Amino acid sequence: METVLSNHSPPSVFKGVSKEEEESLLGQIEIWKYMTQFTDSFALKAVVELRIADIIDRQCKPLSLTEIVQNLEDVPSPDSTLLLRVMRVMVRRKIFSAEKSETGEILYGLTRASKWILQDTKVTLAPSVLLEIHPIHMNPFNFMSDIVKEGTKNGTAFFRCHGYDQFEMASVDPKFNELFNKGQACTTGFVFRAVIAGYKDGFNQIQTLVDVGGGIGGSMSEIVKAYPHIQGINFDLPHVVSTAPKYDGITHVGGDMFVSVPSADAIYIKWILHDWSDGHCVKILKNCRKAIPEKTGKVIILDHVLDPEGDEPFTDIGIAFDMILFAHNSGGKERTEENWKYLFRETGFPRYNIIKINALLSIIEAFPI
């Protein structure tokens, strides 16, 4: 069957306007969209704080607004009309589903997205939601243009906002430290499953492994569970490891990765190097180079490999995280393959390998020979 291509442009979405006027209106809508998208983030934060997904999940069926309100915990006088407006946004964004019951009530159910904000489960992004949308993390974005104009000589956007750098804030504010650690740790389980699936035999020959910047040890605990022959060392700042739980097969060591790194067969660095400038990363990687055997050692990096022109599922999220680093860290950034190649060349790793996995991050192996 012959296909005839039309020479006519698709009909305008607006009535009685010229093509030029339509383009102007569409451009206006785009700006309105990005101007107001923050409201989606705060609606998401609200439903996480109210544990709406968990309420629906516990009942194992879609619930009406009345049923959701009746199950809110520690909420003496909830306003269902205001919650309706929040849920309307969340349905529009497909965080929850909505369907009419036989009686005409709207019943709200879980979607593939809302299952990721459940808090009564090990597989969750809820702590990350609460971290990233917390005022401590959001307010520094108001200083982005100042940083463009002046650089970071007078401090990062985070410092200008709070009077502390991000990691200093964690050391002086116990509540933020707890929020930060939980936000970082919640990704460990499902990201590591992607690592196992994509890396399979990568840990088999390793007897001793150091997790540099390992936080409270969540990543190392997953590795040792999967590879019980490995002796794990969880390495982070003293105030971080002081709150770490005990794990079989893991030793917690406090220290400074810019000074030295404990010796081992291999080094594991998950989502750490993107926080730091090239100069800082050179120091860290040189210390890693000294800590591993010359012939058999390797550094296993779990981080973004940014492709600004890419169209892979996680590309836009990587670009968004680059903006988060812009506001929070001095010199921190998401790196392209060329950026990684530069770091390896400067730190004595002549060979590297990038392994794509089904996760936000990629595996990057760096070898000393």
Side-chain angles (χ1 to χ4, degrees):
M1 179 178 178
E2 184 179 359
T3 301
V4 178
L5 299 177
S6 173
N7 291 325
H8 297 292
S9 301
S12 172
V13 295
F14 303 102
K15 292 182 179 180
V17 300
S18 67
K19 184 64 177 177
E20 183 180 357
E21 289 171 324
E22 179 186 32
E23 283 293 299
S24 178
L25 285 167
L26 290 172
Q28 180 193 144
I29 288 169
E30 288 171 3
I31 296 302
W32 280 114
K33 174 184 174 182
Y34 294 118
M35 188 194 313
T36 58
Q37 263 185 345
F38 74 93
T39 60
D40 293 345
S41 297
F42 283 95
L44 177 62
K45 182 188 179 195
V47 299
V48 170
E49 290 175 332
L50 293 168
R51 293 179 173 260
I52 303 296
D54 292 286
I55 290 171
I56 298 170
D57 185 60
R58 283 195 293 269
Q59 299 299 320
C60 300
K61 64 177 183 178
L63 300 179
S64 68
L65 195 67
T66 299
E67 291 172 315
I68 292 172
V69 168
Q70 288 173 345
N71 283 277
L72 290 173
E73 297 179 1
D74 301 320
V75 182
S77 55
D79 190 322
S80 60
T81 60
L82 296 179
L83 179 58
L84 171 64
R85 292 161 67 181
V86 174
M87 293 301 289
R88 186 165 57 201
V89 175
M90 292 289 90
V91 170
R92 181 80 177 178
R93 302 298 175 238
K94 296 182 171 58
I95 305 299
F96 294 100
S97 64
E99 58 186 34
K100 278 191 177 181
S101 69
E102 294 179 357
T103 62
E105 276 190 304
I106 300 296
L107 301 179
Y108 298 95
L110 299 181
T111 66
R112 65 185 184 187
S114 48
K115 291 176 182 178
W116 283 93
I117 57 171
L118 291 168
Q119 299 186 61
D120 298 334
T121 177
K122 291 183 178 179
V123 180
T124 181
L125 280 169
S128 285
V129 171
L130 298 178
L131 171 64
E132 297 300 342
I133 310 175
H134 192 280
I136 288 178
H137 261 206
M138 295 293 289
N139 291 343
F141 285 94
N142 292 299
F143 295 83
M144 288 181 72
S145 61
D146 293 334
I147 296 301
V148 170
K149 290 185 287 187
E150 304 169 18
T152 57
K153 60 187 177 183
N154 295 319
T156 63
F158 194 98
F159 179 85
R160 294 182 187 210
C161 182
H162 298 300
Y164 294 98
D165 285 328
Q166 181 175 223
F167 299 117
E168 290 175 337
M169 177 71 82
S171 68
V172 300
D173 186 332
K175 288 186 178 180
F176 177 68
N177 185 48
E178 181 182 8
L179 182 71
F180 185 85
N181 286 334
K182 286 181 177 179
Q184 297 292 309
C186 76
T187 62
T188 296
F190 61 84
V191 170
F192 187 69
R193 281 194 289 276
V195 171
I196 292 296
Y199 200 42
K200 291 184 179 179
D201 300 329
F203 293 101
N204 282 351
Q205 304 304 315
I206 298 171
Q207 298 299 316
T208 56
L209 180 68
V210 176
D211 186 353
V212 172
I216 57 175
S219 290
M220 184 58 76
S221 71
E222 295 292 333
I223 293 172
V224 171
K225 282 179 191 174
Y227 300 89
H229 69 278
I230 291 179
Q231 293 178 314
I233 300 171
N234 180 58
F235 179 67
D236 211 311
L237 294 169
H239 79 269
V240 175
V241 297
S242 67
T243 65
K246 292 182 178 179
Y247 296 104
D248 291 338
I250 296 175
T251 302
H252 296 294
V253 176
D256 185 343
M257 62 188 174
F258 296 109
V259 177
S260 66
V261 170
S263 296
D265 295 332
I267 306 292
Y268 182 73
I269 312 178
K270 172 180 172 280
W271 226 0
I272 296 296
L273 296 179
H274 77 160
D275 287 328
W276 300 98
S277 69
D278 286 351
H280 286 96
C281 287
V282 166
K283 289 181 181 179
I284 296 168
L285 287 172
K286 282 185 175 180
N287 287 334
C288 291
R289 177 74 167 75
K290 294 174 184 176
I292 58 175
E294 178 73 25
K295 294 182 178 180
T296 59
K298 63 179 174 179
V299 176
I300 305 163
I301 300 166
L302 198 60
D303 221 316
H304 288 283
V305 180
L306 196 65
D307 180 2
E309 304 300 323
D311 57 0
E312 294 182 357
F314 287 107
T315 298
D316 282 346
I317 301 170
I319 292 171
F321 267 104
D322 189 51
M323 288 293 92
I324 292 173
L325 293 166
F326 179 108
H328 292 174
N329 301 75
S330 179
K333 60 185 178 183
E334 303 299 357
R335 291 179 167 86
T336 64
E337 182 173 352
E338 283 300 313
N339 296 147
W340 286 111
K341 189 184 297 184
Y342 166 79
L343 290 181
F344 297 145
R345 186 169 62 243
E346 292 296 306
T347 54
F349 292 97
R351 187 165 58 93
Y352 70 92
N353 182 36
I354 295 174
I355 303 169
K356 296 285 186 180
I357 59 174
N358 294 325
L360 179 60
L361 312 176
S362 295
I363 298 168
I364 313 166
E365 297 178 303
F367 304 93
I369 59 171

